[in-house]
């Protein structure tokens, strides 16, 4: 009886040991699978994230490059005056030439002196083009790229004619800046020109002292 009881206890102990071992193995496998699975999933997602980031970076770079290219090939604004059908400021693409501006202005008038302009000349932003009339004593159209500071080389040492000078030419007169030069042009257009140098006193900002300094540099002939 006692021997039989010992054998049963021994069998139960062995069974318990086996079951315990199996349980520990199952628990270890469960823990191991839960630890390694997130790592594997994270690694598998890395290429996709990398591809997405690369595509986004490339698209952003392309947009910046396109914007930079658009700025480089931007627009310019040029003022045309004189013997054209429609005087005014016109917007053109960068690299346009005087001939493009004349077309924008409706073409020459019948009394235009076509020799007074260089139709092949390239234009730059803020340039002023003056088309002379036949018989008008005006040098060839000036643009900033044609001569230093927009002055014709053959007239740079002569007196500036108040009745025909461009905005750039007027700014070469001592003490005359962009605003004062524009005031002179506005007065000239409003009053049909200057009849004498003394008429400069009628331009805002020019008094007796300034006039005396300018007389040696300007003319109305």
């Amino acid at each position: 009886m006692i021997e039989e009881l010992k054998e049963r206890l021994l069998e139960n102990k062995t069974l318990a040991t086996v079951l315990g071992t199996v349980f520990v193995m199952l628990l270890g496998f469960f823990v191991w699978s839960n630890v390694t699975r997130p790592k594997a999933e994270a690694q598998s997602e890395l290429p996709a994230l990398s591809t997405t980031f690369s595509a986004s970076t490339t698209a952003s770079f392309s947009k910046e490059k396109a914007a930079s290219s658009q700025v480089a090939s931007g627009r310019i604004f040029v003022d045309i005056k004189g013997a054209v059908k429609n005087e005014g400021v016109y917007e053109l693409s960068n690299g346009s030439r005087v001939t493009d501006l004349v077309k924008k202005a409706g073409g020459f008038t019948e009394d235009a002196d076509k020799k007074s302009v260089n139709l092949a000349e390239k234009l730059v932003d803020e340039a002023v083009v003056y088309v002379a009339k036949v018989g008008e004593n005006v040098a060839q159209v000036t643009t900033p790229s044609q001569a230093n500071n927009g002055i014709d080389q053959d007239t740079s040492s002569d007196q500036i004619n108040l009745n025909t000078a461009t905005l750039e030419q007027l700014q070469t007169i001592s003490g005359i800046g962009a605003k004062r030069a524009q005031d002179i042009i506005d007065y000239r257009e409003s009053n049909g020109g200057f009849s004498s140098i003394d008429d400069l006193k009628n331009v805002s900002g020019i008094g007796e002292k300034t006039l005396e300094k300018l007389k040696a540099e300007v003319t109305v002939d």
Side-chain angles (χ1 to χ4, degrees):
M1 184 72 176
I2 295 174
E3 292 297 331
E4 184 180 353
L5 182 61
K6 287 181 178 180
E7 289 178 2
R8 290 182 178 179
L9 288 174
L10 183 60
E11 290 176 357
N12 290 336
K13 183 177 180 182
T14 303
L15 180 60
T17 301
V18 172
L19 291 176
T21 302
V22 172
F23 176 76
V24 170
M25 292 177 64
L26 290 174
L27 181 62
F29 176 77
F30 176 78
V31 173
W32 175 82
S33 64
N34 280 276
V35 170
T36 57
R37 184 181 301 170
K39 292 183 179 180
E41 291 178 352
Q43 290 177 352
S44 65
E45 290 177 358
L46 282 178
L49 291 174
S50 177
T51 302
T52 302
F53 177 77
S54 177
S56 176
T57 303
T58 302
S60 177
F61 176 76
S62 297
K63 290 181 179 178
E64 291 179 0
K65 185 176 181 181
S68 176
S69 177
Q70 184 175 0
V71 171
S73 59
R75 312 291 290 178
I76 60 173
F77 293 85
V78 184
D79 187 10
I80 184 168
K81 302 179 184 296
V84 289
K85 294 180 179 178
N86 300 294
E87 294 179 301
V89 177
Y90 290 92
E91 180 182 0
L92 302 97
S93 59
N94 192 14
S96 295
R97 300 179 184 272
V98 174
T99 184
D100 301 316
L101 179 62
V102 172
K103 289 177 183 177
K104 280 266 190 181
F108 295 111
T109 57
E110 293 182 357
D111 58 349
D113 182 4
K114 298 179 182 179
K115 294 181 180 180
S116 68
V117 292
N118 178 4
L119 293 176
E121 184 72 25
K122 270 191 177 182
L123 296 167
V124 295
D125 192 36
E126 299 182 5
V128 178
V129 174
Y130 183 80
V131 181
K133 295 180 181 180
V134 175
E136 192 175 5
N137 185 23
V138 179
Q140 189 179 42
V141 61
T142 56
T143 59
S145 62
Q146 191 173 23
N148 295 331
N149 297 322
I151 313 168
D152 288 321
Q153 294 179 355
D154 57 350
T155 60
S156 59
S157 60
D158 296 337
Q159 291 179 311
I160 302 299
N161 190 325
L162 296 175
N163 287 322
T164 59
T166 64
L167 186 68
E168 285 81 6
Q169 288 175 321
L170 289 171
Q171 290 180 65
T172 64
I173 302 173
S174 302
I176 301 298
K179 184 180 184 306
R180 195 71 62 235
Q182 187 59 55
D183 289 340
I184 292 173
I185 290 177
D186 291 342
Y187 177 86
R188 180 175 74 195
E189 294 179 349
S190 299
N191 296 274
F194 291 86
S195 58
S196 70
I197 296 176
D198 290 336
D199 287 343
L200 276 174
K201 291 186 296 182
N202 299 322
V203 177
S204 176
I206 298 180
E208 289 286 352
K209 292 183 179 180
T210 303
L211 178 61
E212 289 301 319
K213 295 178 181 179
L214 300 180
K215 283 185 176 180
E217 299 183 50
V218 299
T219 181
V220 295
D221 296 333

